[in-house]
Amino acid sequence: MTPQRFALAQVHDDVCLVQVCSSFAQESCHAALSAVEVQIYAHEFITIFRYSHPAVLHPSDIRILEWLDEQSVLDEADKGIVFLARDVMERLRRLTDRRLSIGQTRGGAQATYCLRGRRMS
């Protein structure tokens, strides 16, 4: 089985917690036609994320913002729940706040983060 890693990623206009194959992290250049398989986790409460759904994305539809180290993630895979360290949550909040203010000042689409499987501003 291929090792999986967690990351904060921009998927389309959303900032999400995703789980991806660790080989994706090691590839310096992703083939334009290679699909990326990810598991999307929705923010549920404070530091808790729950598995939402799988996705197969074109490489242009996903951008890794930050790879998370193992010490920052507690994965209860049998329950479909992931807990993130508070410092990671603070960085996630700053990422989404920054993206929201950029979207508002440029008049473009606003970035959101995944919340209970829906896009929320």
Side-chain angles (χ1 to χ4, degrees), residues 26-119:
Q26 299 166 354
E27 296 175 15
S28 59
C29 180
H30 306 294
L33 299 176
S34 297
V36 180
E37 293 183 31
V38 299
Q39 307 301 319
I40 307 274
Y41 287 78
H43 184 239
E44 195 159 275
F45 184 71
I46 305 177
T47 63
I48 303 170
F49 286 74
R50 184 174 300 278
Y51 176 76
S52 177
H53 62 279
V56 178
L57 304 168
H58 186 278
S60 65
D61 292 332
I62 182 170
R63 185 171 74 109
I64 302 298
L65 303 172
E66 178 182 345
W67 289 103
L68 302 178
D69 58 37
E70 292 180 13
Q71 296 87 345
S72 298
V73 178
L74 174 61
D75 181 15
E76 293 188 0
D78 58 325
K79 297 178 184 175
I81 296 175
V82 173
F83 297 88
L84 295 183
R86 290 190 187 273
D87 63 314
V88 173
M89 290 304 300
E90 181 59 28
R91 291 194 301 274
L92 175 60
R93 186 190 62 75
R94 283 196 306 262
L95 279 169
T96 55
D97 286 351
R98 185 177 323 129
R99 290 188 175 290
L100 284 172
S101 61
I102 289 170
Q104 290 168 349
T105 58
R106 293 187 182 168
Q110 294 182 356
T112 58
Y113 66 97
C114 298
L115 181 63
R116 294 186 191 254
R118 298 183 303 271
R119 288 178 48 182

